[in-house]
Amino acid sequence: MDKHTGEHRSYWIETAPLGPLHPAPAADVTVDVAVIGAGIAGLSTAWEVARSGRSVAVLEADRIAAGVTGHTTAKLTALHTLVYDKLRRTRDIEAAKLYARSQTEAIQHAAEIVEELGIACDWEDTAAFTYAQDPAAVGELRAEAEAARAAGLPAEFVSETGLPFPVAGAVRVSGQAQFHPRKYLLALADDLIRRGALIFEHTRVTGLKEERPAG
């Protein structure tokens, strides 16, 4: 938060300049795939499409990675609150394993992209924590640690986290990551352009028309 204005400001946005504007299209554009939104979901999808050899355009109402992704926690983790115990109870342990595998593979894939493109995005391998300060929540945390471990994650229940305040307990999962999301995405956008993709900023999608699929 800015101490003078009281406004919340994003570290990620302030430390990764936007660069040149990708202007709105001046004429009709035809591509194989149009992706709406240039956050991490949109640009990652567009990059995979472009890598497959298809033509792609990204349409962003504002600027690249300036919305939700520009104000993210910047963590890449398979640990999402208390999801594994819930999956185990409401589905089964196989569903929990599938979820854990999909999230772990996503982190690994992002790491591979960073290496492939040589992206300087402050990537750091680290542990992730889900913690509680209320002792009444310790039972839930222990159950989550056990369920996450059964799902294949390197999870454990701990009472020390290194945080600058005490906790009643936490689930710790090693082998996770954190990074600078905008540095990552701006590099991804640059590579998209090199691959012939189109990016249009300040281009708001106001409607979609569904037609019969080709072929």
Side-chain angles (χ1 to χ4, degrees), residues 76 100-113 123 184:
L76 295 165
R101 189 180 75 186
S102 69
Q103 302 306 298
T104 299
E105 289 179 354
I107 298 169
Q108 293 170 345
H109 187 53
E112 291 166 358
I113 293 172
W123 184 281
Y184 174 82

Side-chain angles (χ1 to χ4, degrees), residues 19-27 29 57-64 193 198-204:
L21 175 71
H22 299 280
V29 174
V58 180
L59 312 173
E60 168 56 48
D62 191 2
R63 301 296 307 274
I64 292 173
I193 297 299
L198 303 171
I199 298 176
F200 301 114
E201 296 177 299
H202 293 317
T203 305
R204 184 176 298 277

Side-chain angles (χ1 to χ4, degrees), residues 68-143:
V68 173
T69 301
H71 298 80
T72 183
T73 56
K75 62 183 180 181
L76 295 165
T77 175
L79 182 64
H80 304 142
T81 62
L82 304 179
V83 67
Y84 292 99
D85 187 46
K86 181 178 180 180
L87 282 172
R88 184 175 60 171
R89 287 185 288 102
T90 60
R91 303 290 182 178
D92 54 35
I93 193 59
E94 293 305 316
K97 288 179 179 180
L98 182 61
Y99 184 88
R101 189 180 75 186
S102 69
Q103 302 306 298
T104 299
E105 289 179 354
I107 298 169
Q108 293 170 345
H109 187 53
E112 291 166 358
I113 293 172
V114 168
E115 183 175 358
E116 177 183 342
L117 301 183
I119 302 175
C121 62
D122 308 327
W123 184 281
E124 181 182 354
D125 294 324
T126 187
F129 294 87
T130 291
Y131 70 88
Q133 293 179 284
D134 184 356
V138 166
E140 292 179 298
L141 291 172
R142 289 188 182 277

Side-chain angles (χ1 to χ4, degrees), residues 33-57:
V33 178
V35 176
I36 301 173
I40 193 165
L43 288 176
S44 296
T45 299
W47 190 79
E48 297 293 345
V49 170
R51 191 169 65 159
S52 75
R54 295 177 175 84
S55 60
V56 60

